[in-house]
Amino acid sequence: MTDDAALDPPQRSQDPADIASRLEAILLIVDEPQSLVALAAAVASPVPAVRQAIETLAADYDGERGARRRGFELREVGGGWRFYVREEHDELVAEFVNGQAPSRLSQAALETLAVIAYKQPVSRSQVASIRAVNVDSVVRTLLARGLITEAFTDPETGAINYRTTDALLGHLGINSLDELPPISPLLDDGSAGFEGEVLR
């Protein structure tokens, strides 16, 4: 085998069922809506075939054509696709996740929460850029604890922007974000990160 052949990406089956299966695997792990182009690149299939597979999967999860309606849905948000819990199960999932959540937040969670509190609305990638680390799992934790929520989805990038909730104000014992302590002028642009003790 030549070096060039070793670098060639593996050939993927273009059978509709195989494309759908690969899409499910990718969609299961993404935290933000993915465009058809991004999904097509991820599963190594043409965009039209991916579009058809996405529509078929969404219809299947919705219980169309005799299929059983699932507790989750495949929804298009901001030009991208992602799995979401169905609205009627939101309370159940929140109770379960909160019941599993630890009583204290980690240092990483506190630092991420501080970035969101001071820079909101802010996307996950912007938070990661400021902290210089991956924040996916930390953001999921903060969402599960009800300390942050999705504010809106950028229509151009599909990135979800986050903001803090009233629950955070209650935990901090303040009435509004205006009561947060000022950040050092050296940190105004967020490029140097945030002090770990900003939020306790």
Side-chain angles (χ1 to χ4, degrees):
M1 179 182 294
T2 66
D3 291 340
D4 289 341
L7 295 176
D8 288 341
Q11 296 300 310
R12 306 288 188 187
S13 166
Q14 298 307 311
D15 179 80
D18 291 337
I19 294 174
S21 180
R22 294 200 299 273
L23 283 169
E24 285 181 313
I26 294 297
L27 289 166
L28 190 63
I29 63 167
V30 299
D31 292 311
E32 296 187 350
Q34 302 295 307
S35 70
L36 287 175
V37 172
L39 289 171
V43 301
S45 298
V47 171
V50 169
R51 179 183 295 108
Q52 182 175 355
I54 285 288
E55 292 173 353
T56 299
L57 286 172
D60 181 53
Y61 302 144
D62 288 343
E64 298 179 12
R65 297 190 291 273
R68 180 177 57 85
R69 188 170 186 265
R70 311 295 178 84
F72 59 90
E73 62 182 324
L74 181 53
R75 190 193 317 161
E76 184 178 18
V77 175
W81 293 85
R82 177 188 164 200
F83 285 137
Y84 289 88
V85 172
R86 292 199 185 276
E87 186 176 357
E88 62 263 33
H89 300 309
D90 281 349
E91 184 176 347
L92 171 69
V93 171
E95 289 175 359
F96 173 78
V97 172
N98 288 333
Q100 302 296 310
S103 58
R104 296 175 62 88
L105 290 176
S106 66
Q107 185 67 28
L110 288 173
E111 292 173 2
T112 299
L113 187 56
V115 173
I116 295 173
Y118 282 100
K119 304 289 283 186
Q120 63 185 306
V122 62
S123 69
R124 191 188 313 254
S125 62
Q126 290 171 324
V127 176
S129 176
I130 291 172
R131 291 202 56 228
V133 294
N134 186 297
V135 297
D136 290 354
S137 63
V138 176
V139 168
R140 283 195 296 271
T141 297
L142 296 176
L143 283 167
R145 297 290 293 273
L147 298 175
I148 64 172
T149 187
E150 295 180 3
F152 63 89
T153 300
D154 189 301
E156 294 185 4
T157 65
I160 297 173
N161 280 253
Y162 300 92
R163 63 174 177 79
T164 54
T165 65
D166 290 341
L168 174 63
L169 299 181
H171 284 296
L172 293 177
I174 60 178
N175 294 314
S176 76
L177 294 173
D178 293 335
E179 297 179 42
L180 286 173
I183 301 177
S184 164
L186 295 176
L187 303 179
D188 280 350
D189 63 357
S191 61
F194 287 80
E195 296 292 342
E197 63 271 18
V198 168
L199 290 181
R200 293 186 181 276

